[in-house]
Amino acid sequence: MTEFLAELWAFMKERKKFWLLPIFMVLLLLGMLIVLTQGSAVAPFIYTLF
Amino acid sequence: MLPGEPTRQAAFPRLGRLLLGIGVFGATFLFVGELFLRLVFWGGDSFSRHYGPIVQRFERDFKFNRFDGPSRGPEPPGPKLPDSVRIVIQGDSITWGQGVRNEEQLFSSRLLTRLRETDMPVDMAVLARPGREIDEHLQQLQKWGQELRPDVIIYQWYINDMELEKQDRPRTDRIWRHVFFHPILQQNSYLWFFLDFSLDTLLPSGTVPYESYARYIADNFNEGSAGWSTFERYFSEWATLAKELTPHVIVALYPYMSLKDGSPPAIRPEIVDIHTRMLSLCRTNNVLCLDLSASLVKFEDARAVRATAFDDHPSAEVHRVIAEELSEVIGAGMDHPL
């Protein structure tokens, strides 16, 4: 994983494609959040209003 | 040329480029994030809350019946026929079917289908809405009871039905929720809604006075507490009215369970005492109590119990089990008094 990230960084640096950085970052962040938050609802069935 | 001027000239473009870079980075981040989530949650999804664009997308095609709410589930086709059995179901988000996309999969719809398969002439009215507590169930029965003239009343109970006062309810206070644009983005942006949900789920909170919702319930609704006494009073009033309408009154207790992926669901130990008291309260009020715990702990994996990956409401499969249990009770009760 570290190797992949290093290669990705080297690619962006070499080709000057730094605009790819936010795309990779947001995809990585949201992917992690989707995995981490699955099955971890904080409070069950609590609603104040419809 | 004044001393220092070339340095300023060089610094400004660099600063401009930096600001432009940050702007482009931020805009790309937000745009791609929003797009990504709109693709991932193309059909929407159910979360443990009742607002936000992803949830609204999920519930876009829900149909509502004519009762207050909007309530979801079967409704009688017309006036009650003399030889037919009319079932009225009262409940909250569980009966309403939070997280269940197809209305045919709700336990109310399944129960109606099952009973009709036995040639029982039956129709049904569902009075269910997320967040409804015992006082509202009583009001609903007062409002619709005489008009509907039910032969069977089913009340789906869950622990939050006791929470008539909610000021002590544990809630998190997140700093980003104080910004003025939070309500607008939370209703319209997939990215903001999902980040709000995720961070609220994952980040610890120092403002919640209880270690869990179950602990809060156990502490605030122990025997003799004001909360439990108020609930008891309302429940007795509801049971008295229900028994005036029909001798066949069923309370279906839906347990508060701990749902861990890969493990069977487990009843939260904090609420066992409340369940025991509910069974006793039903006996005192001469209504039948159906404890669903035994059926639900038979699931091998909690994932099968959960409506969606982000919502602990009962799945369509759990609705099937509830319908089966109720069908057996009603089938037996129509031959003999419940």
Side-chain angles (χ1 to χ4, degrees):
Chain A
M1 183 66 182
T2 320
E3 196 181 331
F4 170 74
L5 291 174
E7 277 183 29
L8 199 65
W9 175 246
F11 167 78
M12 285 189 286
K13 213 171 155 184
E14 178 70 24
R15 303 287 180 95
K16 299 262 187 282
K17 294 196 184 295
F18 292 108
W19 55 271
L20 285 172
L21 189 62
I23 296 175
F24 286 124
M25 281 180 69
V26 75
L27 293 181
L28 192 68
L29 172 75
L30 292 176
M32 276 170 53
L33 288 177
I34 287 172
V35 171
L36 290 173
T37 50
Q38 282 188 6
S40 53
V42 182
F45 317 168
I46 302 175
Y47 305 113
T48 47
L49 287 170
F50 185 79
Chain B
M1 185 181 291
L2 295 169
E5 196 169 326
T7 316
R8 275 207 306 275
Q9 278 177 345
F12 277 119
R14 218 177 313 150
L15 185 65
R17 278 203 304 275
L18 182 69
L19 290 174
L20 184 68
I22 291 171
V24 170
F25 184 97
T28 312
F29 189 94
L30 296 176
F31 176 76
V32 174
E34 186 72 24
L35 187 67
F36 175 72
L37 289 176
R38 280 176 188 268
L39 289 172
V40 168
F41 297 110
W42 183 255
D45 208 329
S46 189
F47 285 73
S48 300
R49 48 193 65 187
H50 224 300
Y51 52 80
I54 307 179
V55 178
Q56 282 164 9
R57 180 74 179 79
F58 182 84
E59 297 179 352
R60 192 184 59 173
D61 300 324
F62 280 14
K63 293 184 188 72
F64 301 110
N65 63 32
R66 69 184 172 92
F67 302 107
D68 305 344
S71 193
R72 193 174 172 226
E75 64 179 316
K80 189 181 169 189
L81 299 172
D83 59 343
S84 75
V85 173
R86 174 161 290 172
I87 300 172
V88 166
I89 302 183
Q90 295 191 271
D92 56 15
S93 52
I94 295 170
T95 303
W96 190 82
Q98 166 96 18
V100 179
R101 204 184 287 266
N102 183 354
E103 190 181 312
E104 298 304 309
Q105 293 179 323
L106 303 183
F107 79 81
S108 52
S109 303
R110 288 178 192 266
L111 177 63
L112 187 61
T113 307
R114 284 180 74 93
L115 293 174
R116 281 180 176 161
E117 282 169 358
T118 63
D119 294 330
M120 185 187 280
V122 59
D123 66 18
M124 184 179 280
V126 177
L127 314 171
R129 179 186 159 174
R132 194 166 269 171
E133 325 291 9
I134 185 67
D135 54 341
E136 291 170 280
H137 292 308
L138 175 62
Q139 285 166 10
Q140 286 288 300
L141 204 56
Q142 286 166 338
K143 181 172 179 179
W144 296 103
Q146 287 301 332
E147 183 188 323
L148 291 170
R149 295 189 295 123
D151 299 295
V152 179
I153 296 175
I154 299 169
Y155 162 35
Q156 167 264 307
W157 177 92
Y158 186 66
I159 44 167
N160 63 320
D161 287 10
M162 305 182 298
E163 280 189 274
L164 301 174
E165 301 293 334
K166 298 180 182 67
Q167 70 268 19
D168 294 330
R169 174 184 274 189
R171 49 169 62 86
T172 50
D173 183 25
R174 302 300 187 185
I175 194 163
W176 64 85
R177 290 180 179 163
H178 294 284
V179 294
F180 72 94
F181 51 80
H182 169 72
I184 302 164
L185 287 181
Q186 197 182 39
Q187 282 299 333
N188 297 291
S189 165
Y190 277 46
L191 181 62
W192 189 271
F193 172 83
F194 187 73
L195 287 176
D196 173 62
F197 172 82
S198 304
L199 296 177
D200 191 39
T201 304
L202 298 173
L203 292 178
S205 174
T207 58
V208 177
Y210 298 95
E211 64 191 59
S212 67
Y213 181 68
R215 192 69 264 152
Y216 149 75
I217 287 286
D219 287 353
N220 282 268
F221 296 92
N222 51 17
E223 191 149 27
S225 65
W228 175 256
S229 301
T230 309
F231 171 74
E232 265 186 321
R233 199 174 63 245
Y234 271 106
F235 182 84
S236 297
E237 213 174 318
W238 172 87
T240 304
L241 176 59
K243 294 292 279 187
E244 281 171 14
L245 292 165
T246 173
H248 303 302
V249 180
I250 304 166
V251 176
L253 296 186
Y254 190 86
Y256 178 20
M257 297 176 290
S258 174
L259 303 176
K260 290 198 174 76
D261 287 359
S263 306
I267 310 301
R268 299 288 301 229
E270 298 95 328
I271 56 103
V272 170
D273 175 50
I274 291 173
H275 261 237
T276 310
R277 272 185 276 140
M278 271 307 296
L279 292 168
S280 168
L281 192 59
C282 288
R283 276 196 299 274
T284 309
N285 286 281
N286 198 25
V287 294
L288 185 80
C289 213
L290 174 65
D291 191 349
L292 298 165
S293 309
S295 308
L296 298 177
V297 294
K298 285 180 189 163
F299 281 87
E300 288 179 0
D301 190 337
R303 275 175 285 212
V305 176
R306 197 178 286 130
T308 73
F310 305 99
D311 195 333
D312 281 357
H313 277 83
S315 62
E317 184 58 14
V318 170
H319 276 265
R320 186 188 60 76
V321 170
I322 297 173
E324 273 177 18
E325 293 266 332
L326 286 169
S327 170
E328 280 178 28
V329 173
I330 291 171
M334 289 296 110
D335 298 330
H336 311 284
L338 287 167

